[in-house]
Amino acid sequence: MPLPFPTAERDGDIATTTDVATPTDTTTTVDTTTTTTVKKSAADTIAALLASEDLYEDHRRWRRPYHPGPLRVGGAAMLLLLAAYLLVSGVIIAAAGALPGAGVCFAIAAVLITIAVRTVRTGIWVSPQGLRQQRLLRAVTLSWAEVAEVRTVQQPVRVVGTPRTAQGQALVVRRTDGGTLPVLVTDRNADFVGRPQAFAAAADALEDRVAEFTA
């Protein structure tokens, strides 16, 4: 009759293996728990900061509650490109010794850069101090005590600043003395032509900001 082969491990080996494995498992568990706690604490801190204040906006500054449209930005970019060409030409002309011609190029480039910047900044800006209507050549600033209302009305509007008009929507700023500011923001201007949803969102944002400051 065949005898059984002794394959059982000794009690001392089993005890030794168990004793070594137990601390390792405990350490892994502790490290995992610590990492999870740290991540959760960091996420809670960030969420609390975002809920308490806006880290990227200072509402005390003058702000435009909407972004300029692609047509306006594209026009300003073309002006800046032309200004860069004139600046390079001015440098070449100055290197050739024709200083008056270089001065003319630099002057025209400076005018184009100014127009490009003012073109992008055109629109309605708000702050706790009041409302500002920034046009290409001039700006009108009203305190909130001088602003009666800002609302959207249906009326004929100019198409992208041209003499041609079409029925559309416009943001009208009415003053407390009964007057109104010239219409500047419409659904057919360079910011919102062909983008009715963007105009509606901008109008809502502007009206909400005005209500916040005049409350």
Side-chain angles (χ1 to χ4, degrees):
M1 180 172 120
L3 296 176
F5 190 76
T7 57
E9 297 182 357
R10 292 178 300 173
D11 294 340
D13 294 338
I14 296 175
T16 304
T17 304
T18 304
D19 293 342
V20 173
T22 301
T24 305
D25 295 341
T26 304
T27 304
T28 304
T29 304
V30 171
D31 291 342
T32 303
T33 304
T34 304
T35 303
T36 304
T37 304
V38 170
K39 289 182 179 179
K40 184 176 181 181
S41 177
D44 292 342
T45 301
I46 294 173
L49 288 173
L50 292 177
S52 61
E53 62 177 339
D54 192 339
L55 301 179
Y56 303 102
E57 289 192 8
D58 185 358
H59 293 283
R60 294 171 297 179
R61 298 173 53 193
W62 288 98
R63 302 193 67 84
R64 181 172 45 194
Y66 59 90
H67 298 291
L71 187 60
R72 184 181 301 280
V73 174
M78 292 298 295
L79 291 176
L80 292 176
L81 183 62
L82 181 57
Y85 172 78
L86 288 173
L87 288 174
V88 173
S89 299
V91 171
I92 295 174
I93 293 174
L99 296 182
V104 171
C105 289
F106 292 146
I108 296 176
V111 172
L112 291 177
I113 293 173
T114 302
I115 293 175
V117 172
R118 295 187 69 88
T119 297
V120 173
R121 291 182 58 85
T122 297
I124 296 179
W125 299 67
V126 294
S127 79
Q129 289 74 40
L131 179 146
R132 175 177 296 167
Q133 190 185 69
Q134 179 71 54
R135 307 178 72 181
L136 183 61
L137 299 179
R138 61 189 298 264
V140 177
T141 304
L142 303 176
S143 65
W144 289 119
E146 299 176 281
V147 178
E149 64 174 346
V150 177
R151 64 190 184 94
T152 305
V153 298
Q154 292 278 346
Q155 66 178 44
V157 295
R158 301 175 65 180
V159 179
V160 198
T162 63
R164 178 173 174 265
T165 60
Q167 189 68 21
Q169 300 184 75
L171 275 173
V172 176
V173 180
R174 300 190 186 279
R175 307 176 60 155
T176 53
D177 58 7
T180 59
L181 293 182
V183 174
L184 189 61
V185 178
T186 72
D187 62 348
R188 302 298 180 93
N189 71 349
D191 292 316
F192 304 110
V193 62
R195 304 167 63 220
Q197 294 182 349
F199 173 79
D204 291 341
L206 185 56
E207 291 173 1
D208 291 344
R209 191 63 62 88
V210 171
E212 173 188 348
F213 288 131
T214 56

